[in-house]
Amino acid sequence: TNQRRTLLASFFLSICLCIDEYLQILTVGLCTRKMSDEQKLPRESLAFILDSAGAPAVVLMPFSTWGIFFGKLFYANEAVALAYTSSFDAYVHAIPFFFYSFFALFVVFTFCMGWFPKIGPMKKAFNRVKETGKVYSDASAKLNQGEDDALDGEGNVWDFIVPMVVLIVIAVTSKEMILGVICALLVCLLMYIPRKLMTVEQYTNNIIEGFGSMLSIFFMLVGAFSLANVTSELGLTMCLIELAKPIISPAVFGATLP
């Protein structure tokens, strides 16, 4: 393999796991990190692909967590409910107007192919790897301690594929991401412990560490929804809508969505 193939693999895998952007970043990042390091690609390039392809790909998939959530928001509008048969149908018809998502995926693809110029911090990152061989900067070194040991093991690709398929199928059919995660964790328990790929203690520790890594996102979402409820009660939402009506056209509003 080479650098281009490694970047393209990360890009297409990000699109394939477009059920949820946080799940995509955590999963694809873990799977492609070692391969990226072996090809002497800066971690910044992998982070750019995961971040810039994650949310746009999720937005474009109507069966993703974003699609389900925003579809219900769209369908709550009387005019939308009269025009479409379901929230899914409403969201599908809105997808062609998500111009930013299409543009972001195009930029990431051209970057992976080597057609997009490396500028600014990204250029510095590639120069750092070329000159020093360091795939990540000294500033982020403490965040990467012990990660190589975590990647060592005797598992195979099916140990990854089977739980992910279970998660995706359960999440899509039940429209409950949490239920999908729980089922995937149970499958991991049945696959890993009897084969001694990890101990019960390691299994539980990994779950706890996983929850810990999501705490910052949890608090951010709680704060966001709390702020949204406060502004709604104050009538700020309707006030901003009335102020924006004269200057924003509904026909092109979809272009502003990520």
Side-chain angles (χ1 to χ4, degrees):
T1 185
N2 55 32
Q3 290 189 345
R4 177 183 293 181
R5 290 177 181 175
T6 301
L7 293 174
L8 285 173
S10 303
F11 173 68
F12 287 116
L13 190 56
S14 297
I15 294 177
C16 291
L17 296 177
C18 57
I19 296 297
D20 180 80
E21 71 272 23
Y22 299 125
L23 171 69
Q24 176 260 350
I25 290 172
L26 290 171
T27 305
V28 180
L30 181 63
C31 294
T32 60
R33 185 175 61 195
K34 189 173 183 179
M35 180 172 61
S36 176
D37 290 350
E38 289 174 352
Q39 292 298 318
K40 292 301 179 182
L41 286 165
R43 290 284 177 87
E44 290 87 341
S45 63
L46 180 59
F48 168 69
I49 294 172
L50 298 181
D51 185 55
S52 299
V58 171
V59 168
L60 293 175
M61 297 299 168
F63 52 79
S64 67
T65 51
W66 279 43
I68 295 171
F69 176 72
F70 281 107
K72 289 181 179 179
L73 288 182
F74 293 163
Y75 204 64
N77 186 290
E78 254 183 65
V80 175
L82 290 172
Y84 302 102
T85 57
S86 65
S87 59
F88 181 88
D89 189 36
Y91 193 83
V92 168
H93 281 80
I95 289 176
F97 297 97
F98 297 163
F99 302 123
Y100 171 80
S101 297
F102 290 111
F103 178 73
L105 291 177
F106 173 76
V107 170
V108 176
F109 177 74
T110 56
F111 174 81
C112 295
M113 293 296 295
W115 301 337
F116 195 85
K118 299 174 180 65
I119 56 177
M122 187 64 71
K123 183 177 181 180
K124 292 180 181 178
F126 272 88
N127 288 338
R128 182 194 67 236
V129 175
K130 186 177 180 180
E131 295 170 1
T132 67
K134 294 181 179 179
V135 294
Y136 50 80
S137 65
D138 294 333
S140 63
K142 62 180 181 181
L143 301 175
N144 296 287
Q145 290 179 354
E147 64 175 19
D148 294 331
D149 296 334
L151 293 175
D152 293 335
E154 298 179 357
N156 56 60
V157 68
W158 293 108
D159 294 322
F160 164 74
I161 293 177
V162 173
M164 291 306 305
V165 169
V166 170
L167 187 151
I168 293 172
V169 171
I170 297 296
V172 171
T173 54
S174 67
K175 297 184 179 180
E176 292 290 341
M177 178 59 69
I178 297 298
L179 180 60
V181 171
I182 293 173
C183 291
L185 288 175
L186 290 175
V187 170
C188 290
L189 176 66
L190 297 175
M191 291 182 66
Y192 300 164
I193 304 301
R195 294 162 56 205
K196 297 182 179 180
L197 294 180
M198 62 174 60
T199 63
V200 175
E201 181 181 1
Q202 290 174 324
Y203 175 81
T204 54
N205 286 341
N206 284 331
I207 292 178
I208 294 172
E209 289 176 8
F211 279 116
S213 67
M214 298 298 289
L215 279 179
S216 59
I217 297 171
F218 170 77
F219 287 119
M220 180 182 68
L221 291 175
V222 169
F225 282 112
S226 299
L227 183 61
N229 288 333
V230 170
T231 55
S232 178
E233 292 295 327
L234 292 174
L236 180 61
T237 303
M238 293 307 301
C239 177
L240 292 176
I241 290 174
E242 292 300 323
L243 291 174
K245 274 183 178 179
I247 57 177
I248 296 181
S249 170
V252 297
F253 181 67
T256 64
L257 295 176

